[in-house]
Amino acid sequence: MEKKILTKKIMAAIACGAFAVLGAGNMVEAAAAQEMSVAPAETINAKNLSEKWDKVFPEDSRADHHKVTFHNRYGITLVADLYAPKNMKKGDKLPALAVAGPYGAVKEQVSGRYAQEMAARGFLTIAFDPSFTGESAGAPRNTTSPDINTEDFSAAVDFLANHENVDADKIGIIGICGWGGFALNAAAMDTRIKATVTSTMYDMSRNIANGYFDNDKDEATIKAERKAAKEKINEQRTADYKNGTYQMTGGVPTEVTEDMPQFVKDYHDFYQTKLGYHPHSFGSTTGATLSSLPDFMTMPLLMRSDEIDSAVLMIHGEKAHSRYYSEDAFKKLTGSNKELLIVPGAVHTDLYYKMDVIPFDKIETFFRDNLK
């Protein structure tokens, strides 16, 4: 079949970097031609990891950094950059933050930028690569999971709670873009998380199950299209098993056309240019494994978010195409210690890298007030 042109009518999910076109009958056709071979998980030793500065953002002299590793409850080893205030002394017990996102990104692109800035402001932070991505272990590569990726946040909390320079009662998390949804899911589950910030959040379950803006369609139509998409994906799973490879969804487009939505062009300008391109990022390269998607269609990440009883700050751009994800998720939160901050004039990707747009003063104040 011919690939269909990306239009508003297509059930699209360009999920913070994982470019996939979801729609009845054209899911597999739109997947990238790339395939990834089955490979065993690698063994990772932090001592063997390069400490060379390989980020898309500049190094800040106010913070030190080095590589660390930790494992989640599935035994997958995760790799993180640990950032600490330059003036941290032996014996100091600092508030700590675990940072991840966007969906499709690695620690060298966005989460590290947030982590480094917050370390410069006095927090001990880690920006980690999720399971199956970047320098972290796990196979097949670039697999995503609502369960495992939520667990990655709790594994980061495990590590921080046992770090000699961390006050275990003062741990927060920051989830960016698709990882904003994982952060809320983790906060609903993990009572050790005392405060949560989401920035330019995506609800990945809703996005992959329904498409952007729920496709402006009735539920019956969306349900029928979702079933057709699952049928195509599961047919591909049969072929993947037979061939010993995994079909990939394809990353953010390497070229843009006039008929593409502006937010797709914004993604391209970040992931596919020197502004944010990184070879470890599946947003910049292969996209996620196609077989990752049905989990999100059937496992709603935010189902228990109304049970979060710790502090939450949700940040979104006024002009972001994705703004409705944060607004709708915020409506479900309960309690008095919840805040939605809309950044005037900002689009979705502005909160990836624009240091004068990301409200770091507000983020710092929020964590100072709630990690006591």
Side-chain angles (χ1 to χ4, degrees), residues 66 68 82 84 88-96 124 126 156-169 171:
H66 66 274
V68 296
L82 184 149
M88 186 178 74
K89 300 179 180 64
K90 184 176 181 179
D92 284 350
K93 293 287 188 180
L94 304 180
L124 187 143
I126 55 171
V157 174
D158 293 341
F159 171 81
L160 290 174
N162 286 281
H163 193 280
E164 62 182 358
N165 291 113
V166 171
D167 183 335
D169 293 323
I171 297 175

Side-chain angles (χ1 to χ4, degrees), residues 310-328:
S310 55
V312 177
L313 169 64
M314 303 189 71
I315 303 166
H316 224 106
E318 176 191 16
K319 296 184 178 180
H321 68 283
S322 52
R323 176 176 166 178
Y324 69 101
Y325 288 131
S326 284
E327 290 177 330
D328 288 355

Side-chain angles (χ1 to χ4, degrees), residues 36-40 139-140 240 244-246:
M36 187 163 288
S37 298
V38 178
D240 286 347
T245 59
Y246 287 88

Side-chain angles (χ1 to χ4, degrees), residues 95 118 121-123 363-372:
M118 295 308 294
R121 291 167 178 256
F123 298 81
I363 294 172
E364 178 184 358
T365 299
F366 170 79
F367 281 124
R368 294 284 180 207
D369 289 345
N370 291 288
L371 297 180
K372 294 180 179 179

Side-chain angles (χ1 to χ4, degrees), residues 149-223:
N149 292 146
T150 298
E151 159 61 19
D152 288 343
F153 261 127
S154 285
V157 174
D158 293 341
F159 171 81
L160 290 174
N162 286 281
H163 193 280
E164 62 182 358
N165 291 113
V166 171
D167 183 335
D169 293 323
K170 299 179 180 180
I171 297 175
I173 60 175
I174 301 175
I176 306 155
C177 189
W179 278 78
F182 298 131
L184 290 179
N185 198 32
M189 177 182 67
D190 195 329
T191 56
R192 299 171 300 171
I193 298 170
K194 305 304 182 184
T196 301
V197 167
T198 69
S199 180
T200 201
M201 190 209 83
Y202 260 53
D203 178 346
M204 293 302 301
S205 296
R206 181 177 176 181
N207 177 264
I208 292 176
N210 296 349
Y212 283 114
F213 315 113
D214 302 315
N215 282 300
D216 300 320
K217 297 177 181 177
D218 62 87
E219 178 58 30
T221 300
I222 294 174
K223 184 176 180 180

Side-chain angles (χ1 to χ4, degrees), residues 47-347:
K47 294 181 180 179
N48 298 330
L49 296 168
S50 173
E51 296 290 352
K52 180 181 178 181
W53 189 260
D54 56 354
K55 327 304 179 194
V56 303
F57 51 89
E59 190 170 6
D60 191 328
S61 62
R62 299 173 297 166
D64 290 324
H65 105 285
H66 66 274
K67 295 283 179 66
V68 296
T69 61
F70 56 95
H71 64 274
N72 65 20
R73 68 185 177 91
Y74 296 100
I76 299 171
T77 300
L78 278 68
V79 177
D81 282 309
L82 184 149
Y83 294 89
K86 199 77 172 181
N87 60 359
M88 186 178 74
K89 300 179 180 64
K90 184 176 181 179
D92 284 350
K93 293 287 188 180
L94 304 180
L97 306 172
V99 192
Y103 185 87
V106 287
K107 62 188 182 300
E108 293 81 10
Q109 291 172 302
V110 180
S111 58
R113 186 186 296 270
Y114 277 68
Q116 180 177 237
E117 178 63 25
M118 295 308 294
R121 291 167 178 256
F123 298 81
L124 187 143
T125 67
I126 55 171
F128 62 89
D129 284 333
S131 297
F132 309 106
T133 62
E135 292 185 299
S136 292
R141 302 306 296 165
N142 298 336
T143 295
T144 62
S145 161
D147 176 21
I148 297 175
N149 292 146
T150 298
E151 159 61 19
D152 288 343
F153 261 127
S154 285
V157 174
D158 293 341
F159 171 81
L160 290 174
N162 286 281
H163 193 280
E164 62 182 358
N165 291 113
V166 171
D167 183 335
D169 293 323
K170 299 179 180 180
I171 297 175
I173 60 175
I174 301 175
I176 306 155
C177 189
W179 278 78
F182 298 131
L184 290 179
N185 198 32
M189 177 182 67
D190 195 329
T191 56
R192 299 171 300 171
I193 298 170
K194 305 304 182 184
T196 301
V197 167
T198 69
S199 180
T200 201
M201 190 209 83
Y202 260 53
D203 178 346
M204 293 302 301
S205 296
R206 181 177 176 181
N207 177 264
I208 292 176
N210 296 349
Y212 283 114
F213 315 113
D214 302 315
N215 282 300
D216 300 320
K217 297 177 181 177
D218 62 87
E219 178 58 30
T221 300
I222 294 174
K223 184 176 180 180
E225 291 183 336
R226 187 163 55 239
K227 179 180 179 181
K230 287 187 288 186
E231 288 174 346
K232 288 292 183 180
I233 296 169
N234 289 314
E235 287 174 9
Q236 184 61 42
R237 283 194 60 152
T238 301
D240 286 347
Y241 190 88
K242 178 179 180 180
N243 298 330
T245 59
Y246 287 88
Q247 187 74 24
M248 312 304 290
T249 59
V252 169
T254 57
E255 297 180 0
V256 296
T257 58
E258 288 186 5
D259 62 328
M260 286 182 174
Q262 182 58 47
F263 68 88
V264 179
K265 297 175 183 178
D266 292 340
Y267 282 140
H268 167 272
D269 290 347
F270 180 78
Y271 282 100
Q272 299 297 359
T273 73
K274 65 180 181 180
L275 181 63
Y277 175 85
H278 198 282
H280 292 169
S281 162
F282 70 70
S284 294
T285 56
T286 66
T289 55
L290 188 67
S291 54
S292 295
L293 302 183
D295 278 0
F296 289 93
M297 294 182 187
T298 56
M299 298 181 187
L301 279 169
L302 305 185
M303 183 172 65
R304 303 294 183 198
S305 61
D306 60 325
E307 297 181 5
I308 299 173
D309 56 10
S310 55
V312 177
L313 169 64
M314 303 189 71
I315 303 166
H316 224 106
E318 176 191 16
K319 296 184 178 180
H321 68 283
S322 52
R323 176 176 166 178
Y324 69 101
Y325 288 131
S326 284
E327 290 177 330
D328 288 355
F330 182 75
K331 292 173 185 175
K332 189 174 179 180
L333 298 178
T334 58
S336 58
N337 201 359
K338 312 292 184 288
E339 183 176 355
L340 175 63
L341 174 64
I342 301 299
V343 180
V347 301

